[in-house]
Amino acid sequence: MKTQTWKLKNILLKTRKRLRRALNPNGSILVICICVIMIWRAVWDLCDLYIFPDNQLLSDIVCFIIWVWILIIYDWNLKDLL
């Protein structure tokens, strides 16, 4: 059982190394950007589904207020986002 786990870890490490070598820095940035977009899409869909699903405008306003509230709580500055 331990040898199978070790073999699987070894295969995963080799695959990750090959992928890193295959992707140049621009490719890595592209993969990261796609992942961020997918996360935002999932969050957006969850907000649309659970926060006033019948009223899109109200859902957008509430999500915006929550976003501003989080910025104020963490004392972030909008310049940090640019």
Side-chain angles (χ1 to χ4, degrees), residues 14 21 29:
K14 285 182 181 179
R21 272 188 260 137
I29 291 172

Side-chain angles (χ1 to χ4, degrees), residues 33-51:
C33 289
I34 290 171
C35 291
V36 168
I37 291 169
M38 289 170 47
I39 290 170
W40 273 109
R41 181 174 181 253
V43 170
W44 196 284
D45 287 343
L46 286 173
C47 288
D48 286 343
L49 184 64
Y50 291 110
I51 300 176

Side-chain angles (χ1 to χ4, degrees), residues 4-58:
Q4 289 176 345
T5 305
W6 181 80
K7 287 180 182 179
L8 181 62
K9 286 182 182 179
N10 196 14
I11 290 170
L12 289 174
L13 286 174
K14 285 182 181 179
T15 304
R16 188 180 340 168
K17 287 180 183 178
R18 286 182 193 149
L19 189 62
R20 283 185 182 171
R21 272 188 260 137
L23 293 175
N24 60 12
N26 293 333
S28 298
I29 291 172
L30 179 66
V31 169
I32 291 169
C33 289
I34 290 171
C35 291
V36 168
I37 291 169
M38 289 170 47
I39 290 170
W40 273 109
R41 181 174 181 253
V43 170
W44 196 284
D45 287 343
L46 286 173
C47 288
D48 286 343
L49 184 64
Y50 291 110
I51 300 176
F52 302 109
D54 296 331
N55 190 341
Q56 185 69 32
L57 179 63
L58 186 58

